[in-house]
Amino acid sequence: MTTNINNMNYNVNEKGYYGEFGGAYIPEMLYPNVEELRQNYLKIMAEPDFKKEFDQLLKDYVGRPSPLYFAKRLSEKYNTKIYLKREDLNHTGAHKINNTIGQILVAKRLGKHRIIAETGAGQHGVATATVCALMGLECIVYMGEVDIARQAPNVARMKMLGATVVPALSGSRTLKDATNEAIRDWINNPVDTHYIIGSAIGPHPYPDMVTRFQSVISQEIKWQLKEHEGRENPDYVVACIGGGSNAAGTYYHYLHEPDVKIIAVEAAGLGVDSGESAATSVLGKEGIIHGCKTLLMQTPDGQITEPYSISAGLDYPGVGPMHAHLAKTGRAEFMSIKDDEAMNAGLELCKLEGIIPAIESSHALAIFDQKTFKPTDVVVVSLSGRGDKDLQNYIEYFKI
Ligand SMILES: Cc1ncc(COP(=O)(O)O)c(C=O)c1O
């Protein structure tokens, strides 16, 4: 089926839905918090003062704009034109900081002085701990016990930045379980606490708010590509998807541009059919997780399937509602990349371009071995993070 994308809306509607996905499926106890945010987020984001502070911090603190780099040797190898959007060069090493800067400014304007967050790879935890230090606010980060072990450098960074890291001990002890703990905390602390969700997931308005903060990525790609290629639109935009925030930001200004094809890259773990994966678009069915209706990996009787990926940032059993909608309507092509394919693509980028990518981003890079592009195609890949946090995993995997 091909969809006429001119007739489709890929942004959130006034009810908080992307097509049939999204909404706010929350316990009554959370309603006041989520409703307060829903009523205020767009108003706050439109305030000139807010915009000024956000833009200034992105420039002077985060180091934006992040470069759009033409990867010459990688392009030669795959006989197409590959550009890397260098979110790895942001302060704290990933795209996550764009969103945490935005949300901490919202939280301050809502009078909150206690911040909680969930984290998988630790990048969002570090980005949250960073902005809390910057603003002098208390910070508690929930993180699965398994992730604490495989992302030890980020745990140390969060602690140095003054955050309390609380292990999540239930389920697969990864991102989903950390999110459950954070939601539990928010229910118990409804008045003074803001929950900084780190991906384009959660109840409305989170997916839209996070997407708007991350949309700076495609906003910059437009003028940067114009400088490089004389046109704002690439032929393809490519990003890996955990919950979907770097992808949402990379796609945002291209969602309604029919000449720009969208590729979403999920983690296939040990293989889509292995029972050890996080390939939600293939294995997922409509369900509710962490406050939104989306595609979700689940058993026939609706229990959430434990996800697996070598990458701590991608092993989430769902995708954000925008991405579920992009999958369902066929606007985005979803590809699944296995652990070993991602690891090899990561090492290849090191050797060809002198850039050590995060394992999450390596999944996006691995598509060039699976899909052939035309020599004239311009393909922009979101290099969502740097590989410093993954050094131990690379060392063990390649026996370096
Ligand atoms: C470097 C990096 N890329 C991608 C992701 C996946 O998150 P999202 O899908 O929200 O961009 C993470 C999550 O921790 C990450 O650290």
Side-chain angles (χ1 to χ4, degrees):
M1 184 191 75
T2 51
T3 309
N4 180 358
I5 80 159
N6 293 316
N7 298 331
M8 294 294 295
N9 175 24
Y10 295 100
N11 291 326
V12 79
N13 68 21
E14 64 290 349
K15 295 205 167 103
Y17 280 84
Y18 300 82
E20 65 199 82
F21 302 107
Y25 297 80
I26 46 172
E28 205 179 319
M29 308 274 287
L30 270 189
Y31 184 78
N33 303 22
V34 173
E35 186 56 15
E36 181 185 34
L37 200 58
R38 189 187 69 77
Q39 285 186 7
N40 289 294
Y41 82 109
L42 290 175
K43 254 187 274 172
I44 292 175
M45 286 172 74
E47 283 166 11
D49 245 24
F50 177 93
K51 281 189 177 164
K52 193 169 164 222
E53 201 177 352
F54 181 61
D55 290 348
Q56 193 84 48
L57 284 170
L58 286 189
K59 178 169 174 278
D60 297 336
Y61 190 70
V62 176
R64 301 203 74 91
S66 68
L68 182 69
Y69 166 68
F70 176 62
K72 187 165 174 286
R73 297 188 66 212
L74 195 66
S75 297
E76 277 165 11
K77 166 140 195 217
Y78 291 103
N79 197 22
T80 191
K81 288 169 135 179
I82 304 171
Y83 284 87
L84 303 177
K85 182 58 174 159
R86 300 289 311 273
E87 294 301 298
D88 61 314
L89 293 178
N90 292 341
H91 178 45
T92 70
H95 64 295
K96 297 283 182 187
I97 190 90
N98 305 325
N99 168 50
T100 58
I101 295 267
Q103 283 203 50
I104 199 97
L105 296 181
V106 170
K108 265 184 40 179
R109 281 158 176 81
L110 291 175
K112 311 290 178 183
H113 41 82
R114 181 174 176 272
I115 299 294
I116 57 171
E118 86 296 334
T119 197
Q123 283 305 127
H124 173 59
V126 168
T128 304
T130 299
V131 296
C132 286
L134 183 67
M135 299 293 169
L137 299 184
E138 185 187 356
C139 181
I140 293 113
V141 180
Y142 292 93
M143 187 168 189
E145 199 182 31
V146 168
D147 292 337
I148 287 181
R150 62 180 164 171
Q151 301 288 336
N154 272 346
V155 177
R157 289 162 84 199
M158 284 184 262
K159 288 183 177 166
M160 285 184 74
L161 292 160
T164 305
V165 180
V166 181
L169 305 173
S170 62
S172 55
R173 292 168 292 142
T174 60
L175 181 57
K176 154 179 80 61
D177 314 288
T179 309
N180 288 340
E181 293 301 329
I183 290 174
R184 227 164 270 151
D185 179 313
W186 210 22
I187 290 174
N188 292 328
N189 298 282
V191 180
D192 63 340
T193 299
H194 175 69
Y195 177 13
I196 302 192
I197 295 186
S199 193
I201 55 168
H204 178 66
Y206 276 102
D208 184 49
M209 180 169 66
V210 174
T211 297
R212 285 170 188 264
F213 288 138
Q214 292 293 358
S215 70
V216 65
I217 299 174
S218 48
Q219 189 185 312
E220 288 174 4
I221 294 172
K222 283 206 148 189
W223 62 260
Q224 290 173 320
L225 201 60
K226 178 96 180 163
E227 280 181 8
H228 282 284
E229 292 284 332
R231 57 172 160 128
E232 287 187 342
N233 289 3
D235 297 289
Y236 292 87
V237 279
V238 183
C240 67
I241 298 207
S245 69
N246 87 93
T250 304
Y251 306 158
Y252 188 77
H253 290 284
Y254 295 119
L255 287 170
H256 299 96
E257 302 277 352
D259 57 326
V260 181
K261 295 177 212 64
I262 294 176
I263 297 181
V265 186
E266 290 183 316
L270 302 182
V272 171
D273 300 320
S274 67
E276 297 286 335
S277 94
T280 308
S281 73
V282 186
L283 302 170
K285 292 196 196 60
E286 193 178 296
I288 290 169
I289 184 170
H290 299 140
C292 75
K293 190 195 284 183
T294 189
L295 288 177
L296 179 61
M297 291 177 10
Q298 51 191 303
T299 60
D301 51 356
Q303 293 302 309
I304 294 171
T305 310
E306 298 298 347
Y308 164 78
S309 162
I310 194 168
S311 137
L314 300 186
D315 65 354
Y316 188 67
V319 287
M322 174 204 271
H323 302 295
H325 183 48
L326 293 176
K328 187 87 186 236
T329 56
R331 172 69 182 99
E333 176 185 358
F334 276 69
M335 296 179 68
S336 311
I337 295 295
K338 289 195 282 203
D339 285 357
D340 54 348
E341 295 163 341
M343 294 305 274
N344 288 326
L347 190 62
E348 181 176 78
L349 193 74
C350 301
K351 307 276 189 217
L352 287 181
E353 297 289 347
I355 299 170
I356 303 176
I359 297 176
E360 290 80 11
S361 321
S362 299
H363 282 72
L365 295 164
I367 65 160
F368 294 103
D369 254 343
Q370 282 195 5
K371 185 177 171 79
T372 307
F373 295 89
K374 290 198 286 244
T376 51
D377 279 341
V378 170
V379 186
V380 175
V381 182
S382 166
L383 199 70
S384 54
R386 69 179 82 128
D388 305 25
K389 71 180 175 60
D390 297 318
L391 222 50
Q392 198 53 38
N393 301 51
Y394 280 123
I395 289 168
E396 282 165 21
Y397 185 87
F398 290 111
K399 307 198 178 1
I400 296 166

